[in-house]
Amino acid sequence: MVEATLASIVNDGLCTGCGACAAVLPPGRVRMALDEQGFLRPRAEQALSTADQEAVRQVCPGIGLTHENGVSAAGVAYHPVWGPVASLWAGHATDPDIRRRASSGGVLSALLIHLLESRQVDFVLHVRAATDDPLRNDAVISTTRDEVAQGAGSRYAPAAPVELLPQALARPGRFAFVGKPCDVAAVRMMMLRDPALAQRIPFLLSFMCAGTPSLRGTHEVLQRMDVPAAQVVQFRYRGDGWPGLTRAESRDGSVATMDYNTSWGTILNRHLQPRCKLCADGTGEFADVVCADAWYGKDGYPDFAEREGRSLVLARTAAGRELLNGAVSAVVLEPFDIQSLHGLQPYQFFRKGCLIARLGAMRLAGRVVPSYAGLQLRAAARQIPVRRFAKEFLGTLRRCITGRM
């Protein structure tokens, strides 16, 4: 088997755009940049050595993920669909402003503020809208409540927070890292490569992710709103309510909005990067704490009617569970039944459960696919109806043959 290289990872559609390759190599070797499709991809600034390529392989979440013996943390039960679950809750931030600003109940932002104010960390590495372009994302370092709050709310566009890791490590102190599941998985692998990192990064936090849309998706949203991209001075995908409206403010002060079900459900989710369609970890299995929308159900499906935000909160590790137990002043939580997760997060349930079908079809078509170990994909597949599984296999094979995958 030919070993992956940075170029082959990108060319084979396995890149997640996390920035781990840029972070693990010496400065100046690789940088992240938007490609023609509107995704963040690594660009080698100079020829990479054999050692460089090996370093990339050791931390790249795009080429594969593994849990040792199917468990990411000692003593934590592993659910074949939902991953390691030390505790499961639903709730919201006690601060009404944070709850309102956030995409769901504001628990993730509230935990970051709690970590800073309790001095468990000195700063936070996270993502927010770029100051020079409201449509793009920047990885930033925050040290105050207000700075964290500025990053509250989902950002459905490419981001590479792992790329900023060297700058964070150059600062004194401990910090929390927040990113997409693939970003967090990359940092977890870097910790395995260099155990000293665990002392610097005591908490990894994530959120359930349905995939990263291209920047082209954002531009299509603006086109539907009839708003020129060059005129936008502020852009929000969600938040200021739950699920909140997509909102674009122009230089002349005019404001255009679009509901979440239209922006995500009919536009942005049609622009996902290829690797996201082969993801076994949309639920952040390598994090300490993961948050998501704790949708209320309606006729067996999430109801997107506007209401006060509610977060789904999973502690993945003992450290995550202790963090939640100690944050009673920052968040209000109540136990949540794991059997109800399927109805609240059906996309995540079917994506992981059907993944073996998609991977099998792609292998049959001669495509390169990521490798997974210990994520119990076969057990997850057994929860999927046979007809749905077969439909997924045949649909994927058809798309591979027609070149639409």
Side-chain angles (χ1 to χ4, degrees):
M1 181 177 178
V2 178
E3 288 190 307
T5 64
L6 185 68
S8 71
I9 291 168
V10 173
N11 294 337
D12 291 336
L14 299 182
C15 181
T16 70
C18 68
C21 50
V24 76
L25 296 180
R29 295 282 174 86
V30 170
R31 67 181 180 88
M32 303 299 292
L34 285 170
D35 67 5
E36 294 180 354
Q37 302 300 315
F39 294 114
L40 282 171
R41 293 291 179 260
R43 291 184 181 176
E45 300 293 285
Q46 53 186 281
L48 302 186
S49 68
T50 301
D52 290 337
Q53 300 287 5
E54 176 58 25
V56 169
R57 286 191 291 270
Q58 289 183 14
V59 301
C60 176
I63 59 177
L65 297 173
T66 181
H67 283 310
E68 186 67 28
N69 299 319
V71 179
S72 68
V76 176
Y78 190 96
H79 188 282
V81 174
W82 306 114
V85 181
S87 62
L88 177 62
W89 311 85
H92 58 83
T94 56
D95 184 328
D97 177 57
I98 294 297
R99 185 181 187 184
R100 177 77 186 173
R101 287 197 200 192
S103 293
S104 52
V107 169
L108 190 58
S109 296
L111 290 176
L112 297 176
I113 294 169
H114 167 73
L115 286 171
L116 287 170
E117 294 182 343
S118 62
R119 298 186 178 180
Q120 295 183 63
V121 300
D122 298 286
F123 57 94
V124 172
L125 196 171
H126 64 130
V127 170
R128 69 182 184 210
T131 54
D132 59 347
D133 184 347
L135 306 183
R136 299 192 183 193
N137 295 325
D138 271 347
V140 296
I141 290 172
S142 292
T143 60
T144 67
R145 175 199 180 279
D146 288 344
E147 289 174 345
V148 169
Q150 289 174 27
S154 297
R155 295 292 304 176
Y156 298 130
V162 189
E163 185 181 19
L164 195 64
L165 205 58
Q167 290 91 315
L169 291 169
R171 297 168 60 110
R174 290 156 38 108
F175 61 98
F177 177 91
V178 188
K180 304 181 297 299
C182 52
D183 303 330
V184 167
V187 176
R188 188 69 78 181
M189 285 189 280
M190 294 173 78
M191 287 178 169
L192 292 174
R193 188 170 178 259
D194 180 5
L197 287 181
Q199 300 302 314
R200 296 293 313 279
I201 317 173
F203 298 103
L204 298 177
L205 297 97
S206 191
F207 41 85
M208 290 193 186
C209 175
T212 298
S214 161
L215 196 61
R216 287 184 177 183
T218 300
H219 283 269
E220 185 176 334
V221 168
L222 291 172
Q223 290 170 4
R224 293 269 197 102
M225 290 176 164
D226 197 25
V227 175
Q231 297 301 311
V232 176
V233 293
Q234 287 190 353
F235 187 81
R236 185 181 64 228
Y237 293 90
R238 284 181 61 191
D240 193 27
W242 186 50
L245 299 174
T246 301
R247 182 181 185 276
E249 181 179 340
S250 298
R251 297 184 190 281
D252 61 5
S254 61
V255 173
T257 61
M258 179 182 289
D259 67 90
Y260 168 73
N261 212 19
T262 301
S263 63
W264 174 262
T266 69
I267 302 173
L268 292 168
N269 71 356
R270 298 177 183 275
H271 289 269
L272 301 184
Q273 63 182 350
R275 178 60 177 77
C276 297
K277 300 172 185 178
L278 303 176
C279 181
D281 181 29
T283 63
E285 295 190 13
F286 294 83
D288 293 301
V289 174
V290 177
C291 292
D293 290 289
W295 303 114
Y296 292 97
K298 182 178 181 181
D299 300 325
Y301 196 77
D303 180 10
F304 300 135
E306 287 288 327
R307 47 169 57 95
E308 287 191 308
R310 186 173 76 145
S311 298
L312 183 73
V313 189
L314 288 86
R316 298 289 196 192
T317 63
R321 182 170 52 205
E322 291 172 10
L323 169 58
L324 294 174
N325 289 340
V328 292
S329 63
V331 296
V332 175
L333 300 174
E334 58 183 24
F336 193 85
D337 180 13
I338 198 168
Q339 301 303 320
S340 302
L341 268 183
H342 177 188
L344 267 63
Q345 294 286 339
Y347 178 83
Q348 301 293 355
F349 178 85
F350 284 107
R351 178 163 64 165
K352 186 171 183 181
C354 293
L355 183 57
I356 284 181
R358 292 194 292 276
L359 295 176
M362 292 188 70
R363 288 193 186 98
L364 185 61
R367 300 292 185 91
V368 178
V369 298
S371 63
Y372 295 110
L375 278 77
Q376 298 193 15
L377 297 185
R378 293 187 183 279
R382 286 195 288 270
Q383 302 191 38
I384 305 298
V386 173
R387 290 188 63 182
R388 173 68 183 263
F389 197 82
K391 181 180 179 181
E392 198 76 30
F393 177 86
L394 294 173
T396 302
L397 185 60
R398 187 182 309 112
R399 288 191 292 274
C400 286
I401 293 171
T402 58
R404 295 187 294 112
M405 188 65 186

